[in-house]
Each structure stands twice: as C-alpha cells, then as structure tokens.
Amino acid sequence: MNTNTAASHGRIRHLVMLSLMTAIALTLFLVEAQIPLPIGIAGIKLGLANLVTLFLLIRYSAKDAAAVLLMRIVLGNLFTGQMVSFLYSLAGGMLSLTAMLLLCRLLKGKSIWFVSVMGGICHNLGQMLVAMYFLGMGGVLYYLPFLLVSGILMGFLVGVATQGFLTAWKKLHKHE
C-alpha cells in the first residue's frame, strides 16, 4: 500500500469513527428526550450524549468532539422538532466543551468525573445565559440552583460512565 492510499484509508477510518460517534450521541440524545424526569423542572436532562463528547475530547481531539457535538445538536433539534431549543443547546454545548477542553489539558486526562461535573455546570450556565438574554433575568434566575445541582449530579454520573467506557476502550484496543 503506498503512502497516499494509507493516508486515505486512515482518513476514511477516522470519518467512519466520527460518524458512528455522532450516531451514538444522537441516539442517546433521542432516547433521553423520551424519558420523562419526575423532577418537574424545565431544562433538566440526564445529559447522556455528553459521554460521547467527553470520550472524544479525551481519546481523540477537541476538533472531533466539537464536530460530533455540533452535528448532534443540529440533528437532535431537527429530529425532535425543538428548534426553539437550538440556541440553548448550542450555548450550553459550546461552553461545556470549552470548559472540559481546558480542564482536560490542565489535569492531563485525570479526574474525568471532575471535568464532566464542570462541563455539566457550564452547560447549564450557557443555557441560563441564553434564557436571560431572551427572557430577562427576573423569571429565570430561580432555576439556577436546581440547574447547578443537576449539572453536578449528572456530570458526576456521566464522568464515571465515561471513565468506565475509556477503560473498556483501552482493553479492546490495547494491541493497536
């Protein structure tokens, strides 16, 4: 196999992996959209698709994580018919990704649960900023404590799940 063919094969393999990760993230997002949470507070979700974002950020690159995140946000909002929430998802996702990227670099891949918790908090803060812009401060800020608690709890669970997934991934790919 010549160098061009090998490079092309590598790019195709990488694109297929990103496509699969997008499909997984989108599936998690769509399944989660069907799960009613008994909390009764708008905007609180499990955040399961963030497992894919954090995995890509740690195992691949920020560019890969951002590409899959953006595709998941666009397609997820189209498929659920909730285009109104597009800006909320985008602001939350991008702020979360930025925070997790900085923490991953600072912590050098350690304390994944903490990186995920901070990502969950930043996701909720990004959504809060959009809500404050469109709705004003008055009726929105009372959500903040509930969103922060949910960001901490779900961020922790997603972080632990991501750590488990990374451990399994390393075992599966130790000979590559």
Side-chain angles (χ1 to χ4, degrees):
M1 195 181 320
N2 67 31
T3 308
N4 289 337
T5 305
S8 178
H9 178 70
R11 283 191 299 272
I12 291 170
R13 183 179 170 133
H14 188 77
L15 184 59
V16 168
M17 184 277 306
L18 289 178
S19 300
L20 288 171
M21 289 296 161
T22 301
I24 292 168
L26 188 56
T27 300
L28 289 170
F29 176 82
L30 293 172
V31 166
E32 180 180 308
Q34 303 306 310
I35 300 172
L37 293 180
I39 298 171
I41 299 172
I44 292 182
K45 294 170 54 175
L46 298 174
L48 300 175
N50 293 326
L51 187 149
V52 175
T53 304
L54 186 54
F55 169 77
L56 288 169
L57 197 54
I58 292 168
R59 181 67 179 87
Y60 289 92
S61 71
K63 181 180 171 184
D64 292 339
V68 170
L69 175 65
L70 287 172
M71 288 303 296
R72 193 239 321 147
I73 289 170
V74 170
L75 293 173
N77 283 287
L78 280 172
F79 291 168
T80 59
Q82 298 177 351
M83 286 309 290
V84 170
S85 66
F86 176 76
L87 289 177
Y88 292 93
S89 297
L90 186 63
M94 289 296 111
L95 190 57
S96 174
L97 178 66
T98 302
M100 291 191 304
L101 171 63
L102 293 173
L103 284 170
C104 279
R105 289 186 178 168
L106 182 67
L107 299 174
K108 299 183 183 359
K110 293 183 173 42
S111 300
I112 293 171
W113 66 270
F114 179 73
V115 172
S116 182
V117 165
M118 295 310 293
I121 289 171
C122 287
H123 190 278
N124 290 337
L125 289 176
Q127 290 182 321
M128 183 62 67
L129 291 173
V130 171
M132 286 174 18
Y133 177 78
F134 285 112
L135 305 173
M137 293 247 258
V140 175
L141 282 180
Y142 77 93
Y143 273 117
L144 188 58
F146 301 105
L147 290 176
L148 292 177
V149 168
S150 76
I152 291 167
L153 292 175
M154 294 317 304
F156 178 77
L157 293 175
V158 167
V160 169
T162 302
Q163 181 63 58
F165 187 72
L166 282 164
T167 301
W169 183 270
K170 287 176 187 172
K171 286 180 183 177
L172 286 171
H173 293 87
K174 66 181 171 184
H175 298 299
E176 287 184 8

